[in-house]
């Protein structure tokens, strides 16, 4: 008979690792299932300044390594496997991976959400080197630089206005000739003297060796293609992408309550299924940051302990 864990955590980003830390310290038998590598989105972040206690020069990988070391110290087990199906009802939950099947009395879903990329050449290579998906994380790195924001919805316009605190100018690039954001948000953006708009435009390519230095844009109506280069004195500029997120929740569809692909929980991370919790970016929530993911994980683990008690 396979081992029945007290807690199975799906995902080893900050939420999953924080949950594993708290579960391990509570002497609960804990298994972390991760698909590819520890860390989630944070491992593509070169520098972290907004996580409490992070030292100067802290990077995503260095912070995750500390979290992983803590988790290992408190005895949580880990496997690398891809979850293909789940059975969450009943006292014993079954997590089916492509390699094996795992059983647990409680489950914490911490699979996260990934920002949708532009999908153009150079984007992946320059992520964290001029290309970002988080204004709160990286905005201050572009103080007095030119900043471009891709998108036209509420998030894109709100984040663009936030970035005007840092950039000398913020240009919103949108593939249509009008924004999709709420009218009240649009009015604020149009009234902001540091905001400019590039309509009917898409980014075709991002260029640079170790840092973003130029981008190729195309007007979708006229077909005109041109290259925008960084100010020579700056040497770079920022491109922030806000065209939506992809919650990593497909395998849980029909198993727990969701809204637009995100799992619905209460403030104690409880889903509608007893013994099943969700933490981090996979949840319906207002702020997706490392610090809120870690807090979610801690709460979820403590609630698992109470549930088991």
């Amino acid at each position: 008979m396979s081992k029945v864990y007290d807690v199975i955590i799906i995902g080893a980003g900050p939420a999953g690792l924080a949950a594993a830390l708290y579960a391990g310290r509570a002497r609960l038998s804990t298994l972390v299932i991760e698909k590819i590598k520890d860390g989630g989105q944070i491992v593509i972040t070169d520098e972290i300044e907004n996580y409490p206690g992070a030292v100067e020069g802290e990077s995503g990988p260095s912070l995750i390594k500390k979290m992983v070391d803590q988790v290992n110290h408190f005895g949580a087990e880990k496997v690398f496997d891809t979850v293909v199906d789940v059975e969450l009802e009943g006292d014993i939950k079954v997590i089916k991976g492509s390699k094996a099947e795992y059983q647990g009395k409680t489950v914490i879903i911490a699979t996260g959400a990934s920002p949708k990329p532009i999908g153009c050449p150079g984007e992946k290579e320059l992520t964290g080197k001029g290309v970002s998906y988080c204004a709160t994380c990286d905005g201050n790195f572009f103080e007095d630089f030119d900043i471009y924001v891709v998108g036209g919805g509420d998030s894109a316009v709100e984040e663009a206005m936030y970035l005007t605190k840092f950039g000398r100018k913020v240009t919103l690039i949108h593939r249509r000739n009008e924004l999709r954001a709420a009218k009240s948000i649009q009015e604020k953006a149009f009234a902001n003297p540091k905001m400019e708009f590039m309509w009917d435009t898409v980014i075709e390519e991002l260029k640079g060796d170790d840092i973003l230095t130029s981008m190729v844009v195309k007007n979708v109506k006229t077909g005109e293609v041109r290259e925008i280069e960084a100010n020579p004195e700056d040497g770079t500029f920022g491109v922030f992408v806000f065209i939506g997120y992809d919650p990593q929740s497909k395998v849980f569809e029909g198993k727990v309550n969701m809204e637009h692909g995100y799992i619905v929980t209460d403030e104690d991370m409880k889903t509608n299924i007893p013994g099943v919790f969700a933490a981090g970016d996979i949840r319906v929530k207002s702020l997706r940051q490392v610090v809120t993911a870690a807090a979610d994980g801690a709460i979820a683990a403590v609630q698992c302990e109470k549930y088991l008690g």
Side-chain angles (χ1 to χ4, degrees):
M1 181 178 291
S2 62
K3 179 176 180 178
V4 178
Y5 292 89
D6 291 324
V7 185
I8 293 179
I9 300 164
I10 307 173
L17 293 172
L21 168 62
Y22 272 75
R25 287 188 75 242
R27 300 295 186 268
L28 302 176
S29 60
T30 304
L31 175 69
V32 180
I33 304 173
E34 170 55 41
K35 182 168 60 175
I36 301 174
K37 61 181 178 181
D38 298 327
Q41 291 184 60
I42 189 177
V43 296
I44 63 172
T45 304
D46 275 355
E47 190 171 355
I48 294 175
E49 291 186 330
N50 60 350
Y51 187 79
V55 298
E56 185 176 350
E58 186 84 85
S59 68
S62 68
L63 183 60
I64 286 299
K65 184 182 183 302
K66 293 174 185 176
M67 292 183 181
V68 170
D69 289 344
Q70 283 181 298
V71 168
N72 292 340
H73 176 72
F74 287 107
E77 297 178 39
K78 186 192 296 173
V79 296
F80 287 96
D81 200 351
T82 299
V83 175
V84 296
D85 196 13
V86 294
E87 296 175 6
L88 302 177
E89 300 282 356
D91 293 335
I92 303 300
K93 324 296 183 183
V94 180
I95 309 300
K96 298 178 181 179
S98 59
K99 298 177 182 177
E101 190 170 287
Y102 314 93
Q103 295 185 340
K105 298 173 185 175
T106 63
V107 170
I108 298 174
I109 301 168
T111 46
S114 303
K116 291 181 180 177
I118 300 168
C120 69
E123 180 179 14
K124 184 177 180 181
E125 293 80 2
L126 291 166
T127 295
K129 301 174 182 178
V131 179
S132 175
Y133 305 87
C134 179
T136 313
C137 310
D138 300 329
N140 65 319
F141 296 134
F142 296 94
E143 191 156 358
D144 294 326
F145 284 69
D146 290 330
I147 295 175
Y148 296 84
V149 172
V150 183
D154 289 359
S155 295
V157 181
E158 287 175 338
E159 299 290 5
M161 287 191 290
Y162 171 79
L163 287 165
T164 60
K165 296 180 180 181
F166 306 102
R168 72 162 73 94
K169 178 182 68 176
V170 176
T171 302
L172 193 72
I173 301 175
H174 189 40
R175 66 183 308 123
R176 298 178 179 86
N177 62 1
E178 61 180 8
L179 301 174
R180 292 179 289 108
K183 293 298 181 184
S184 58
I185 299 173
Q186 292 189 41
E187 289 168 2
K188 291 179 182 178
F190 292 138
N192 191 315
K194 293 178 74 175
M195 287 282 297
E196 295 188 3
F197 300 86
M198 196 181 293
W199 304 111
D200 302 316
T201 300
V202 295
I203 296 178
E204 293 276 279
E205 185 178 0
L206 295 161
K207 296 182 177 182
D209 291 328
D210 295 321
I211 196 166
L212 177 65
T213 56
S214 72
M215 65 178 173
V216 178
V217 299
K218 178 181 178 180
N219 185 295
V220 296
K221 286 189 174 178
T222 66
E224 179 193 2
V225 176
R226 62 191 176 99
E227 186 166 350
I228 298 173
E229 297 186 347
N231 182 304
E233 293 183 5
D234 299 337
T236 189
F237 55 91
V239 170
F240 288 77
V241 183
F242 301 108
I243 54 177
Y245 279 82
D246 289 321
Q248 304 300 298
S249 62
K250 190 170 182 63
V251 74
F252 308 107
E253 288 178 359
K255 309 295 175 87
V256 293
N257 283 350
M258 293 187 189
E259 288 181 5
H260 307 296
Y262 293 95
I263 296 175
V264 178
T265 73
D266 65 9
E267 63 182 10
D268 289 326
M269 309 302 136
K270 295 176 182 176
T271 70
N272 62 307
I273 306 297
V276 178
F277 306 82
D281 288 2
I282 195 65
R283 290 179 56 228
V284 174
K285 58 191 302 186
S286 61
L287 182 63
R288 293 184 169 89
Q289 295 278 278
V290 180
V291 67
T292 60
D296 286 357
I299 294 168
V302 170
Q303 291 300 319
C304 283
E305 184 180 11
K306 291 183 178 180
Y307 174 86
L308 293 166

